[in-house]
Amino acid sequence: MFLKDRITPMLRHPCQESPQSLKEVTLVSEPTELRQLEKFLEGVAADIDKHGSDCEHVHFSDFLAEQQEPELIVFNAKAV
């Protein structure tokens, strides 16, 4: 899908034990792709509202039902 070549490669880093903050993320995208991302983020927000800290993290690839590289993961700040 659209994340593979559209998030700048310098954002890739080895797996770490805890989520890391990034200073900047650049998306080169089209309106349809942004709308998919919007639906995903809205769903994650609803899950966090409903489940609180029990909702630790969600993968965008699960939402799309296809593997992505790099993987976009939303980590719930309440679960830290």
Side-chain angles (χ1 to χ4, degrees), residues 38-51:
E38 174 189 27
K39 288 178 187 175
F40 168 68
L41 293 173
E42 183 61 37
V44 172
D47 285 348
I48 292 172
D49 284 340
K50 183 176 181 179
H51 302 289

Side-chain angles (χ1 to χ4, degrees), residues 32-65:
T32 11
E33 298 164 336
L34 292 171
R35 287 184 183 98
Q36 283 183 307
L37 189 56
E38 174 189 27
K39 288 178 187 175
F40 168 68
L41 293 173
E42 183 61 37
V44 172
D47 285 348
I48 292 172
D49 284 340
K50 183 176 181 179
H51 302 289
S53 61
D54 289 339
C55 177
E56 181 185 71
H57 72 280
V58 183
H59 296 246
F60 189 46
S61 63
D62 291 341
F63 173 81
L64 295 174

Side-chain angles (χ1 to χ4, degrees), residues 3 7 11 13-22 25 27 37 40-41 44-45 48 55-64 66-77 79:
L3 287 179
I7 293 183
L11 298 179
H13 54 80
C15 292
Q16 304 204 353
E17 299 224 359
S18 62
Q20 300 295 308
S21 296
L22 299 171
V25 174
L27 296 176
L37 189 56
F40 168 68
L41 293 173
V44 172
I48 292 172
C55 177
E56 181 185 71
H57 72 280
V58 183
H59 296 246
F60 189 46
S61 63
D62 291 341
F63 173 81
L64 295 174
E66 66 181 64
Q67 286 297 316
Q68 298 288 301
E69 282 191 21
E71 177 71 77
L72 175 64
I73 301 169
V74 176
F75 198 94
N76 180 0

